[in-house]
Amino acid sequence: MDDIEAFWQRAQRHAELATVNSYMGESPMALLRPPAWAFGATPEQADELLALVIDGTKTSTSSALWDYEAEGEDLPTEGTLGIVTDGRGAPRALVVTSRVRTVPFDQVDEEHARAEGEGDRSLDHWRQVHEAFFTEHASHDRGFAPDMPVVLEDLRVIYSEPADAPR
């Protein structure tokens, strides 16, 4: 069993995802392992942003809609589970998406910037950091645009483990 599958098994038990209170059989939550992914584009960003999620500072994230389209990925939806890995690819947190909305970059609000939990948590800081990120790490060929669609996702940690937790 790989590290992510082992983490998924522990997270399911902790969060009681596999239990149902009826005769209907095993919960669908127990059947499919959610995708594993990391924040940012570098191991350092992954570790920094994951730490903010685990400590409760970062409760939202944002992505370029154009990246989802370029990669052929489905957008997250409310209730989507994800296993968040650190910069080494080790699973550390199980999160659930609690809200998703798509807005133009220049219409992201102060509330979302604060919820991302980065830097001074201001909208100006959010715009500066995310414009640079979307310009440098885009997986699409459209470049950055002030009105580019951005997917805003609110997250809630269901289960997490410290980096040095026994496996």
Side-chain angles (χ1 to χ4, degrees), residues 81-143:
L81 295 174
I83 297 172
V84 185
T85 63
D86 63 19
R88 296 175 296 113
R92 296 281 311 287
L94 178 64
V95 298
V96 62
T97 299
S98 57
R99 182 172 87 158
V100 179
R101 55 196 171 114
T102 302
V103 301
F105 179 90
D106 57 7
Q107 291 181 27
V108 171
D109 59 22
E110 189 82 37
E111 178 185 354
H112 180 80
R114 272 193 309 278
E116 286 230 17
E118 300 170 43
D120 66 8
R121 299 175 77 168
S122 71
L123 184 56
D124 287 340
H125 176 80
W126 184 92
R127 285 188 174 146
Q128 178 184 20
V129 168
H130 285 80
E131 179 176 344
F133 182 85
F134 293 149
T135 299
E136 185 175 341
H137 299 290
S139 59
H140 59 82
D141 59 1
R142 299 184 205 181

Side-chain angles (χ1 to χ4, degrees), residues 39 46-60 84 92-95 114-119 121 155-163:
F39 287 102
D47 288 343
E48 176 186 330
L49 298 173
L50 174 62
L52 294 172
V53 167
I54 289 174
D55 77 13
T57 303
K58 180 176 180 65
T59 59
S60 291
V84 185
R92 296 281 311 287
L94 178 64
V95 298
R114 272 193 309 278
E116 286 230 17
E118 300 170 43
R121 299 175 77 168
L155 305 169
R156 182 173 51 85
V157 176
I158 296 175
Y159 175 74
S160 67
E161 295 178 343

Side-chain angles (χ1 to χ4, degrees), residues 14-74:
H14 174 80
E16 299 179 354
L17 295 178
T19 61
V20 288
N21 296 324
S22 72
Y23 62 90
M24 297 179 63
E26 192 169 15
S27 167
M29 292 284 225
L31 299 177
L32 297 175
R33 179 176 83 187
W37 50 270
F39 287 102
T42 67
E44 295 78 19
Q45 288 174 344
D47 288 343
E48 176 186 330
L49 298 173
L50 174 62
L52 294 172
V53 167
I54 289 174
D55 77 13
T57 303
K58 180 176 180 65
T59 59
S60 291
T61 194
S62 51
S63 309
L65 176 65
W66 294 340
D67 286 343
Y68 281 100
E69 293 171 351
E71 298 292 326
E73 290 183 30
D74 292 332

Side-chain angles (χ1 to χ4, degrees), residues 141-154:
D141 59 1
R142 299 184 205 181
F144 171 79
D147 62 348
M148 66 184 280
V150 179
V151 179
L152 308 180
E153 185 177 359
D154 293 348

